[in-house]
Amino acid sequence: MSDKKLSFEEAYAALEQIAEKLSDNSITLDESVKLYEEGVKLSKYCAEALEAAKQKIEKLQNEG
């Protein structure tokens, strides 16, 4: 993940691309480890974004 702030959709799309690359048997072990590491970061980012959205929705529901 770069320093640029990704949207949830961009991060999710990048995560999908990584999953596809990891299923390719022609990549090296080093490439696999790097992709896996990036995937973990993206997965954490997506989970945090979803949790933040959930909290906003719950707050709005409780205000109404």
Side-chain angles (χ1 to χ4, degrees):
M1 219 164 90
S2 67
D3 291 338
K4 178 189 147 203
K5 191 73 168 174
L6 296 176
S7 70
F8 172 82
E9 292 78 11
E10 291 169 326
Y12 191 81
L15 189 54
E16 286 181 323
Q17 289 177 343
I18 287 173
E20 286 180 27
K21 289 178 185 177
L22 284 172
S23 67
D24 183 355
N25 292 331
S26 66
I27 62 174
T28 66
L29 178 60
D30 286 339
E31 289 173 314
S32 295
V33 171
K34 288 177 186 175
L35 287 170
Y36 183 82
E37 181 179 21
E38 183 70 14
V40 167
K41 291 177 186 176
L42 287 166
S43 178
K44 182 178 177 183
Y45 175 80
C46 287
E48 289 171 354
L50 286 172
E51 183 61 28
K54 178 183 169 188
Q55 289 177 2
K56 284 181 185 179
I57 290 168
E58 288 174 353
K59 182 179 177 184
L60 289 170
Q61 287 177 336
N62 290 334
E63 289 176 358

